[in-house]
Amino acid sequence: RMAALSAADEAKRMSRLHQAWIIDTLESHGGACSYGELVEVGEQHQCDTVGSMIKYLKNKKVNLAHK
C-alpha cells in the first residue's frame, strides 16, 4: 500500500505531468503551436496554469517554440 503523498509532493507530481503534456503537444505539432492550442489541451488536463508552466520550462531552457 502506497503512503499518501503530501500536498507538496502531489503539487510537484502534477507539475511534472503538466510539463510532460505541454512538451508532448509541442512535439506533436512539429515543435510549435499557438498558446490557444496549449490552453485547449490544458483544459483537457484540468490545468489552469499553462502560462506559468511555459515560463517555467523556458527558464529551465527547455526548447519551446509556441506561436
Side-chain angles (χ1 to χ4, degrees):
R1 195 170 113 185
M2 287 181 38
L5 293 177
S6 71
D9 288 338
E10 178 63 13
K12 188 175 187 178
R13 184 184 77 82
M14 290 305 299
S15 178
R16 286 183 177 154
L17 289 173
H18 290 317
Q19 292 168 44
W21 68 254
I22 289 171
I23 292 168
D24 290 346
T25 300
L26 289 167
E27 287 175 349
S28 72
H29 284 86
C33 67
S34 71
Y35 179 75
E37 289 171 305
L38 288 174
V39 169
E40 285 183 31
V41 176
E43 288 174 355
Q44 296 169 11
H45 291 275
Q46 300 178 351
C47 178
D48 59 357
T49 59
V50 174
S52 296
M53 291 288 108
I54 291 170
K55 184 175 180 178
Y56 176 80
L57 290 168
K58 280 185 171 186
N59 287 340
K60 287 191 66 157
K61 307 291 187 211
V62 175
N63 186 16
L64 300 176
H66 64 86
K67 299 177 195 172

